[in-house]
Amino acid sequence: MSKLRLSLACWNYDRTRGLLEDRIPVDGIDLTYINIPVEETFFRMIRHREFDVAEMSLSSYTLSLFREPRPFVAIPVFPSRSFRHSCIFINRNSGIREPKDLIGKRVGNPEYQLTAGVWIRGILSDDYNVPVSSVSYFRGGEETPGRTEKQTVSLPPEIRLENIADDKTLSQMLLGGEIDAIYSPRTPSALAMGKGIVRRLFEDYETVEREYYQRTNIFPIMHTIVIRRELYEQHPWIAQSLYKAFVLAQREVYDDLFETAALKVMLPWQIRHAEQTQELMGQDFWPYGFEKNVHVLSTFLRYSFEQGLSKRILTPQELFVPESLEAFKI
């Protein structure tokens, strides 16, 4: 019996390399892995649905569920997770010394709907009493002029969002003091170019992020895996086949982290770092699947609604195909 040929667009993370290198079988599927940067993947999938399966921003996918017809379904695989306290960059001359000083300031966002931005704004609101509506947001390219939202957002009037000029970038504006801060998953070039003018709000971000995890048990989810809805409806079995393959690929990486004969990551204290991570977060510190991630997903979905993106608070169950909410047991 011939296999179903599918394309997968995904950044070449170590946790998916087994799929890229064809070491991990995908039941019933002949998978073509397209290794391109995340920004390109998201743009091409959201705007043009070019791939059968793709990595996608959790926020962008959530917003797609309010479109008709809904273009995608998802499985609970999370190739990108990241703490985001390290992603708040400020101009030293802005008067910002601590989170509450952001109130009333001008803050750049490459796109308002970016998943990293949703997490940052939510954490600032929950933990530091910086309401989402207490700053003015400026949207545009971080390093390249002319960036726009990948899909339309309609925000309540209390959230102030302006586009920057077509010939400007957020990084330049932060360095020049035209904006006071940037919330961005990518480190702006202004941090290196600024000769001390630009810095992180949380300079000791590892300590802050560890405390955040210990207090909340949240390791923020950034991306998930989506399937074109019409393809899934025609072949619903592909959801479980893909989920199994992603889990097997990730399992390889867990083992690689503790390979002592020859380090597989270019970090001299990789083993100790892996041990410390497991001591804090448990053996399965980057969990896939539904049940282990309900708390994290519920928090994100609340943030999306509170920030004017989602039209109602979705439940975590509404994000994923029903076949992926449970697994068989022997």
Side-chain angles (χ1 to χ4, degrees):
M1 181 178 177
S2 61
K3 293 186 175 183
L4 183 65
R5 297 177 64 88
L6 298 182
S7 59
L8 164 67
C10 188
W11 185 236
N12 181 15
Y13 300 101
D14 58 356
R15 44 210 167 273
T16 59
R17 192 168 295 135
L19 297 173
L20 173 66
E21 298 173 356
D22 283 331
R23 288 194 312 278
I24 303 297
V26 189
D27 295 345
I29 295 172
D30 182 3
L31 195 65
T32 299
Y33 192 121
I34 301 167
N35 175 27
I36 52 179
V38 290
E39 291 93 343
E40 181 179 354
T41 300
F42 298 169
F43 181 85
R44 291 172 64 178
M45 191 63 167
I46 292 167
R47 290 285 182 88
H48 307 294
R49 299 197 300 160
E50 291 186 39
F51 314 107
D52 297 317
V53 185
E55 179 179 2
M56 184 172 286
S57 150
L58 179 61
S59 180
S60 296
Y61 171 62
T62 300
L63 291 183
S64 79
L65 297 176
F66 294 95
R67 291 163 52 187
E68 289 297 340
R70 291 178 294 167
F72 310 114
V73 299
I75 57 176
V77 170
F78 311 111
S80 177
R81 305 179 80 127
S82 185
F83 296 104
R84 290 306 189 186
H85 296 74
S86 63
C87 296
I88 305 171
F89 304 91
I90 64 168
N91 184 303
R92 283 183 179 272
N93 300 323
S94 65
I96 300 171
R97 299 292 178 266
E98 56 184 318
K100 70 177 183 180
D101 297 330
L102 286 162
I103 295 174
K105 293 298 193 290
R106 301 159 298 177
V107 177
N109 295 248
E111 295 179 41
Y112 182 81
Q113 64 90 35
L114 289 183
T115 307
V118 175
W119 279 111
I120 290 168
R121 293 186 295 264
I123 290 167
L124 287 171
S125 178
D126 276 2
D127 293 356
Y128 300 99
N129 296 313
V130 180
V132 173
S133 60
S134 68
V135 308
S136 297
Y137 300 103
F138 292 82
R139 173 177 57 194
E142 185 172 329
E143 305 293 345
T144 307
R147 181 170 177 174
T148 60
E149 302 275 0
K150 285 183 284 294
Q151 51 188 330
T152 303
V153 297
S154 178
L155 302 175
E158 65 269 19
I159 296 178
R160 300 179 299 279
L161 176 64
E162 298 180 28
N163 294 323
I164 65 174
D166 289 341
D167 61 346
K168 292 190 175 184
T169 67
L170 294 176
S171 189
Q172 293 168 342
M173 293 176 70
L174 181 63
L175 189 58
E178 295 179 79
I179 57 176
D180 304 301
I182 289 178
Y183 303 162
S184 174
R186 282 195 180 271
T187 301
S189 60
L191 183 68
M193 296 168 54
K195 299 179 180 178
I197 295 174
V198 174
R199 69 171 180 85
R200 286 182 169 90
L201 176 61
F202 297 102
E203 294 190 282
D204 185 14
Y205 57 84
E206 182 181 355
T207 298
V208 175
E209 290 169 351
R210 284 175 173 270
E211 186 278 332
Y212 169 79
Y213 178 80
Q214 288 176 308
R215 177 166 47 83
T216 66
N217 200 36
I218 290 174
F219 183 15
I221 292 169
M222 296 295 129
H223 304 163
T224 190
I225 297 294
V226 303
I227 306 167
R228 287 192 294 111
R229 182 176 292 273
E230 66 271 21
L231 178 66
Y232 161 75
E233 290 176 346
Q234 186 177 0
H235 307 286
W237 57 269
I238 65 176
Q240 278 285 18
S241 291
L242 288 163
Y243 178 77
K244 286 171 58 180
F246 276 102
V247 170
L248 289 172
Q250 186 202 40
R251 194 170 298 161
E252 270 193 350
V253 182
Y254 274 137
D255 294 338
D256 286 349
L257 289 174
F258 293 92
E259 175 56 66
T260 58
L263 296 179
K264 296 199 174 184
V265 177
M266 292 193 312
L267 292 171
W269 293 282
Q270 168 197 322
I271 304 300
R272 183 60 187 135
H273 181 70
E275 291 171 344
Q276 289 174 330
T277 300
Q278 284 196 341
E279 288 166 7
L280 176 66
M281 303 173 70
Q283 285 194 319
D284 186 15
F285 55 82
W286 196 298
Y288 289 175
F290 178 72
E291 290 185 5
K292 292 182 179 180
N293 289 288
V294 168
H295 172 52
V296 179
L297 293 165
S298 296
T299 302
F300 174 83
L301 293 170
R302 172 171 63 86
Y303 287 166
S304 182
F305 175 73
E306 291 174 347
Q307 295 172 29
L309 289 167
S310 295
K311 303 310 175 188
R312 63 178 177 86
I313 299 181
L314 296 172
T315 66
Q317 289 89 340
E318 291 178 271
L319 296 179
F320 306 110
V321 296
E323 298 90 342
S324 67
L325 298 181
E326 59 183 355
F328 74 92
K329 298 178 181 179
I330 298 175

